Amino acid sequence: MNTNEIARIASLVGEPARTAMLLALMDGRALTAHELAAAGNISAATASRHLALLVEAGLLRLQRQGRHRYHTLASAGVARMLENIIQLASGRTPAPRTVTGPRDAALRLARTCYDHIAGRLGVAITQHLLDEGAITFDGEAGHVTDRAAAVLNGLGVDAAALVDTQGRRPHCRPCLDWSERRTHVAGRLGALICSHCLDSGWLTRQEGSRALRVSPRGAVALRDGLGQARWTALVQAA
């Protein structure tokens, strides 16, 4: 047992600004240094130093996507440690939720991300595929399982269309959603689901915007495909 390392981790978690930044990540999202600075009520420069220490200690993971840099909790073990501390410190006022992404409600609900669906709808579809075992994510890689055909059929999607002899694009991969800060599915599968929803009239494009509108017919089909509980949570989310 390395008591010095235990003490170092405890001191990192115990600093109030770092604690606030760690708690802001407890809902599974990925946040920028600017957003975490706001959560910790500290300057960007101070936040950068704190975040570097947390990454070095293995408490946070730095994820780069394009020109953006996001921070997430490094593992479920870190989340469990924080949950245990929260239980010990029960009675304190919970940290406020950090606001991310676009203010436009339509963009937050559903939008195109290149050729796949992003926003709450994209994340909900992806979580459904994960929960049903149709896909798995391993870091930045994604895999389609032998359950995919049956699960996609429930969404009205023909899995045979995933076969692509023309290129080397991956069947699926996780794409970090910049408003929800959770992953939605990209790759050929993401494009296939998006095109199916558009071709079926479930989703319609809005002129001059990446926002996608869910049609009444699409609401029924997606509710049936995703399940009533997931659909209700999606449409009622603030």
Side-chain angles (χ1 to χ4, degrees):
M1 179 183 298
N2 189 330
T3 55
N4 288 336
E5 185 64 14
I6 293 172
R8 183 170 79 96
I9 296 297
S11 67
L12 286 170
V13 176
E15 199 282 328
R18 290 195 287 260
T19 302
M21 291 192 289
L22 288 166
L23 292 180
L25 296 167
M26 278 292 287
D27 61 1
R29 293 178 301 163
L31 299 176
T32 65
H34 176 76
E35 290 162 342
L36 289 169
N41 196 29
I42 54 178
S43 69
T46 301
S48 180
R49 291 194 294 272
H50 283 321
L51 291 170
L53 290 171
L54 293 170
V55 170
E56 180 185 9
L59 296 173
L60 294 184
R61 178 181 295 115
L62 180 62
Q63 182 175 347
R64 295 177 174 85
Q65 183 159 306
R67 61 186 179 85
H68 300 292
R69 293 156 59 95
Y70 298 101
H71 292 82
T72 61
L73 295 182
S75 66
V78 174
R80 287 194 297 270
M81 175 189 69
L82 293 172
E83 286 176 353
N84 288 334
I85 293 173
I86 291 169
Q87 290 177 6
L88 289 172
S90 60
R92 291 183 174 272
T93 302
R97 179 178 173 88
T98 303
V99 178
T100 64
R103 296 182 182 276
D104 187 333
L107 284 172
R108 293 184 71 90
L109 175 61
R111 63 182 182 276
T112 52
C113 178
Y114 184 46
D115 60 357
H116 50 275
I117 303 170
R120 292 201 306 274
L121 178 58
V123 170
I125 291 172
T126 301
Q127 194 59 52
H128 173 72
L129 297 175
L130 288 167
D131 290 348
E132 294 297 318
I135 60 173
T136 62
F137 289 152
D138 180 12
E140 296 183 1
H143 308 279
V144 177
T145 75
D146 56 6
R147 285 209 18 92
V151 176
L152 290 171
N153 184 62
L155 292 170
V157 179
D158 181 8
L162 281 175
V163 177
D164 180 11
T165 58
Q166 303 301 314
R168 300 175 61 187
R169 188 179 188 188
H171 280 81
C172 78
R173 65 175 181 82
C175 183
L176 184 63
D177 195 287
W178 64 275
S179 62
E180 295 304 298
R181 304 305 166 83
R182 296 179 175 87
T183 52
H184 58 250
V185 65
R188 292 203 297 272
L189 177 57
L192 177 62
I193 294 171
C194 184
S195 61
H196 171 75
C197 290
L198 289 169
D199 293 344
S200 301
W202 297 357
L203 300 177
T204 58
R205 300 182 186 273
Q206 297 191 31
E207 185 176 355
S209 173
R210 290 198 296 127
L212 297 170
R213 186 179 68 84
V214 181
S215 69
R217 181 166 46 137
V220 172
L222 290 166
R223 180 202 64 197
D224 291 346
L226 298 176
Q228 183 65 60
R230 195 184 301 278
W231 178 254
T232 300
L234 186 158
V235 298
Q236 290 183 349

